[in-house]
Amino acid sequence: MNGALISSMGRIATEAVELRVARARDGDSAAREELIRDYVPFVLKTASAATRRYLTVGQDDEVSVALLAFDEAITAYSSPRPGFLAFAATVIRRRLIDHFRRESRRDETPLSALGQDADRSLALSVGANSDPAAWQSALERRDEMEQWKEALEEYGLTLDDVVRKTPKHSDARERAFGLAILVAQDSRLKKRFLSERKLPVEDLLNSLPTELAMSRKTIERQKDYVTGVALMLAKDFPTLREFLDLPRTGGYRNER
């Protein structure tokens, strides 16, 4: 095979990738998913080179980070130079660096795993795992995510609102989660919360157990986070809660 033919084949392959990326970027979800599946070997190779160790799908968190970065690259890519794959490799390396920096911080917010395009993030969380059960679990999480986002809209919130208002420190976060459990499990609080579509702050203040005692100002500051988590618990999204590594409900039950 001569050099001209090899060069021509390389150019055709590059053009094919660019066309597939364009279709995916323009909203063809099937084209996007197929492109991601086809380029899993490229993603693994790039991520392994960046981490300087062999990575395994379904075992290493870096694989999910790299797959999400590849998906991000599809959305962000616009210029023919330096070419999509080179661009994607750069995005993957940068996101892995960000991942390592986050991992080095011990006070990370659990809901920071989510954000814009969280439904796709959940679907990709199993990477390219061919296990049907793993894909089924990912699809269930995606469905629950859509339902949760719709429920949040009824309360005037978005997923980003909940993420942004998540308490940064673990002790404050645990106490706020305790409030969400109380709202979701106390029958009177839950009924008012779901019927009025807002956090019943006054009733909540009057129902706080000693271990959760806090001021109105603190509750108001954490209201978006408490509302979001209380909705997740009250409407029972088990696979989503498992993905976020949130504790199971319990400990503040007060049926009335």
Side-chain angles (χ1 to χ4, degrees), residues 59 61 90 187 194 204 225:
Q59 296 184 16
D61 292 341
T90 298
S187 59
L194 294 177
L204 186 54
Y225 172 80

Side-chain angles (χ1 to χ4, degrees), residues 22-67:
R23 288 200 305 273
R25 191 179 61 243
D26 290 342
D28 188 333
S29 59
R32 181 183 289 266
E33 293 177 6
E34 183 179 288
L35 184 62
I36 293 171
R37 284 197 299 269
D38 289 350
Y39 278 86
V40 165
F42 166 80
V43 173
L44 286 174
K45 180 179 178 180
T46 303
S48 295
T51 58
R52 297 184 180 180
R53 65 186 180 87
Y54 180 78
L55 299 176
T56 302
V57 173
Q59 296 184 16
D60 296 300
D61 292 341
E62 290 85 353
V63 176
S64 293
V65 173
L67 284 165

Side-chain angles (χ1 to χ4, degrees), residues 168-187:
K168 304 302 181 184
H169 298 291
S170 59
D171 56 344
R173 195 161 59 244
E174 289 173 5
R175 289 167 65 82
F177 187 79
L179 291 181
I181 293 177
L182 182 60
V183 172
Q185 292 196 337
D186 184 296
S187 59

Side-chain angles (χ1 to χ4, degrees), residues 103-167:
E103 287 297 302
S104 68
R105 303 203 314 259
R106 297 303 180 187
D107 201 24
E108 186 67 14
T109 302
L111 286 177
S112 64
L114 303 179
Q116 294 182 353
D117 295 328
D119 51 349
R120 188 180 303 127
S121 298
L122 288 167
L124 289 172
S125 66
V126 294
N129 200 323
S130 59
D131 180 2
W135 279 109
Q136 181 62 35
S137 179
L139 291 173
E140 289 174 359
R141 287 197 295 271
R142 183 168 61 182
D143 289 342
E144 288 184 4
M145 173 63 72
E146 288 301 324
Q147 294 177 55
W148 187 36
K149 288 164 68 176
E150 290 175 2
L152 287 172
E153 289 178 3
E154 295 180 359
Y155 287 70
L157 295 173
T158 66
L159 179 57
D160 286 340
D161 291 332
V162 178
V163 173
R164 188 169 57 253
K165 294 299 181 66
T166 301

Side-chain angles (χ1 to χ4, degrees), residues 65-66 68-70 72-73 76 86-96 98:
V65 173
L68 290 172
F70 187 82
E72 177 188 345
F87 174 74
T90 298
V91 175
I92 290 171
R93 287 191 291 268
R94 288 176 178 172
R95 293 299 169 259
L96 284 170
D98 292 342

Side-chain angles (χ1 to χ4, degrees), residues 199-211:
L199 196 67
V201 176
E202 192 66 38
D203 287 352
L204 186 54
L205 277 168
N206 295 330
S207 303
L208 291 178
T210 303
E211 61 268 32

